[in-house]
Amino acid sequence: MKLKRLPILLCLTFCISLATAQKPEKVKKVTEKVSFGTATYQVLKSDKITKHGTYKIMDYIYKQPLVVGTYLYGEKNGVWKAWYAGTNHLKNEGTYKANKKVGIWKYYDYFGVLLHSYNHDTDTLIFSSACGTDTKYEVLVDGKSVWKTLDCPPAYFGGISNLNIDITNTYINSKKENTNAVGAIYADISILVKKDGTVGDLRANEPLLNQDFRIILEDKINNTKGEWLPAELDGEKVDAYVVLKSVVSSYQTSD
């Protein structure tokens, strides 16, 4: 008797599972131009805004992927990878969960050499190619500025040159209507990276730094929360400066 009822129970269980299973969301494919390429992704048909599904940016010149990842109801989730334009070299790779970096992320330079490996779950630096050099950096000790050789210098994930490129391209794009307004900028900007990984004051060696450039510079740097590695001295995290060397001329283009 029990054996006869088993197929019925299995059928009921299966039917209930089908009834309660979440239906796939209806999505709409979107294609738009972004810096250096074309982005293809999906948005929910219900609001036509929320990204949901695979996200990809393809280089419009070399026809190679620049960014590949996945959105889940408007948040980055799963494995994400980015590449340098015109190469097959990874820029970074790792996993997002609800828009937050989790687990081990790896960051590379333009030639594919590993710069940083970092565990975002434990806030632990696994590897930095800049550690163990004899270079001296400006460090704040008890509120006073001193120059010291560090165990590991302050750093931007993936290299500060990538941040510089982003700032420069944003500035040049803002002058597309009038390329003569780009001018020439040669500046060393000292960025204080605090021991908690946040950014402190900014100092430019050029007092007459272009005001438009300064606004973009400050905006970009102030929106890099969670992207900085604090310096280490004698096994302890310390406040220290890193220098961003910026060179912009009217002959440059962002293409």
Side-chain angles (χ1 to χ4, degrees):
M1 189 71 177
K2 289 182 180 180
L3 289 175
K4 290 182 179 179
R5 291 180 181 177
L6 184 59
I8 298 174
L9 289 172
L10 289 173
C11 181
L12 285 172
T13 302
F14 179 71
C15 292
I16 292 171
S17 298
L18 285 177
T20 57
Q22 189 175 14
K23 294 180 180 179
E25 292 283 0
K26 292 183 178 180
V27 294
K28 176 184 177 181
K29 185 177 179 181
V30 176
T31 300
E32 65 176 346
K33 286 193 69 176
V34 295
S35 296
F36 299 106
T38 302
T40 304
Y41 55 93
Q42 297 167 320
V43 296
L44 296 178
K45 276 191 174 182
S46 57
D47 65 8
K48 299 179 176 64
I49 297 175
T50 304
K51 294 183 180 71
H52 187 70
T54 301
Y55 181 91
K56 180 183 288 188
I57 298 179
M58 294 294 290
D59 188 309
Y60 65 83
I61 295 177
Y62 300 100
K63 309 302 180 185
Q64 295 175 328
L66 293 176
V67 177
V68 174
T70 304
Y71 277 94
L72 184 65
Y73 296 104
E75 295 182 330
K76 291 180 179 179
N77 273 274
V79 176
W80 279 69
K81 294 183 178 182
W83 291 263
Y84 286 98
T87 77
N88 60 354
H89 297 154
L90 278 170
K91 180 184 288 186
N92 57 63
E93 59 181 336
T95 302
Y96 277 100
K97 185 176 182 181
N99 255 1
K100 184 179 179 181
K101 289 181 177 179
V102 297
I104 296 174
W105 274 70
K106 293 182 178 180
Y107 304 85
Y108 306 87
D109 69 9
Y110 183 82
F111 301 100
V113 177
L114 180 66
L115 291 176
H116 308 118
S117 179
Y118 193 82
N119 189 325
H120 287 271
D121 289 341
T122 59
D123 288 329
T124 304
L125 177 65
I126 299 171
F127 171 79
S128 172
S129 61
C131 293
T133 68
D134 294 329
T135 306
K136 289 189 175 183
Y137 293 83
E138 184 180 2
V139 183
L140 295 183
V141 179
D142 297 327
K144 296 181 179 180
S145 175
V146 295
W147 288 81
K148 287 184 173 289
T149 299
L150 299 169
D151 303 340
C152 289
Y156 181 76
F157 283 129
I160 200 165
S161 59
N162 278 319
L163 176 61
N164 193 19
I165 290 170
D166 187 22
I167 293 169
T168 301
N169 285 338
T170 302
Y171 173 68
I172 292 174
N173 281 328
S174 72
K175 303 295 182 181
K176 272 191 172 180
E177 299 297 323
N178 181 12
T179 55
N180 291 328
V182 171
I185 298 171
Y186 303 92
D188 290 348
I189 297 96
S190 295
I191 304 168
L192 177 61
V193 180
K194 297 182 178 180
K195 63 182 71 176
D196 62 0
T198 59
V199 172
D201 71 302
L202 307 176
R203 297 195 317 246
N205 68 338
E206 173 52 68
L208 299 177
L209 189 63
N210 180 299
Q211 184 62 23
D212 293 337
F213 182 80
R214 180 184 290 275
I215 291 172
I216 290 172
L217 171 77
E218 292 178 350
D219 180 65
K220 288 289 185 181
I221 291 176
N222 289 331
N223 282 284
T224 53
K225 184 179 180 181
E227 296 297 321
W228 295 93
L229 285 168
E232 292 186 13
L233 175 63
D234 298 329
E236 299 290 334
K237 293 180 180 179
V238 294
D239 298 343
Y241 285 90
V242 63
V243 177
L244 182 151
K245 294 183 178 292
S246 187
V247 179
V248 182
S249 73
S250 57
Y251 296 102
Q252 287 177 286
T253 66
S254 60
D255 297 333

